[in-house]
Amino acid sequence: PGGGIRIGYAVDQAFHFYYPDNLEALAAQGVELVPFSMLNDSQLPSGIQGLYIGGGFPEVFMSRLEDNMALMVDLSREAAAGMPIYAECGGLMVLAENIHWGDRSARMAGVLPVDVAMSSRPQGHGYLELEGTGLTEWPGEGVRVHCHEFHYSRIVACHSEMRFAFRVRRGTGIDGQHDGLI
């Protein structure tokens, strides 16, 4: 409360799925939302304290994203320095090492040590019930969260040492047992 926090959020042809309530809630708390393009900007906005990367279709634009390696390197550097990043759906995909779709692959930011593969059928579709693992401040150990999922992507090469914010009680999540990759 009181403002002074600047959060960059990706908004362009590849990333444009945001719940308006989330953006409105941040703005109501005094957060300055700074839009940027993962496709066209060569660096993250200056002076931001966090990132929000929403959903979209990074697989459709994966060649253009890969060609914008300057931004990918900047994103990776800021993540390694500890910048908080909240990424959902397509946002998580761009944080992976690679996206694979059919016979094509493209290098992404490499923030998370996973690859993402696109499928022709939904890999998760429907309502989820998640339970907090306690590894993050929200939602807390054992707190249940109801939400939905609809994605054609799946995480491949997910290492056993990966940590998650949620246990899946109903639904698919990332690996059938977890969601909220940390």
Side-chain angles (χ1 to χ4, degrees):
I5 296 175
R6 300 182 66 204
I7 295 178
Y9 75 106
V11 59
D12 54 30
Q13 295 163 301
F15 301 95
H16 55 273
F17 292 157
Y18 289 94
Y19 294 101
D21 289 354
N22 290 347
L23 298 174
E24 291 167 8
L26 289 168
Q29 291 295 312
V31 171
E32 180 185 351
L33 295 167
V34 182
F36 72 98
S37 172
M38 296 284 293
L39 296 172
N40 302 314
D41 293 334
S42 61
Q43 62 186 21
L44 297 171
S46 63
I48 58 172
Q49 290 89 32
L51 286 172
Y52 183 5
I53 308 173
F57 297 103
E59 70 278 9
V60 173
F61 297 95
M62 65 184 189
S63 294
R64 283 186 60 195
L65 290 165
E66 181 179 49
D67 288 344
N68 194 0
M69 197 46 62
L71 182 71
M72 295 297 172
V73 168
D74 195 27
L75 175 58
S76 182
R77 182 177 40 249
E78 290 298 332
M83 178 178 282
I85 301 172
Y86 176 77
E88 54 191 25
C89 196
L92 177 99
M93 292 168 65
V94 80
L95 295 179
E97 291 180 350
N98 300 286
I99 294 177
H100 307 283
W101 190 19
D103 60 352
R104 299 179 9 204
S105 294
R107 184 99 180 117
M108 294 293 113
V111 172
L112 298 170
V114 300
D115 278 11
V116 175
M118 296 302 299
S119 301
S120 59
R121 300 183 133 164
Q123 299 299 295
H125 182 229
Y127 292 106
L128 282 132
E129 182 177 350
L130 304 173
E131 180 180 79
T133 61
L135 296 177
T136 57
E137 290 183 36
W138 181 87
E141 173 69 35
V143 174
R144 301 270 173 125
V145 177
H146 296 89
C147 50
H148 79 288
E149 64 182 334
F150 182 68
H151 51 93
Y152 282 78
S153 62
R154 61 186 164 77
I155 299 287
V156 293
C158 190
H159 308 288
S160 60
E161 68 272 4
M162 300 302 294
R163 298 179 316 135
F164 297 90
F166 302 102
R167 287 181 287 277
V168 173
R169 295 297 177 214
R170 176 183 174 201
T172 304
I174 285 178
D175 65 0
Q177 298 177 345
H178 305 96
D179 206 7
L181 186 57
I182 299 173

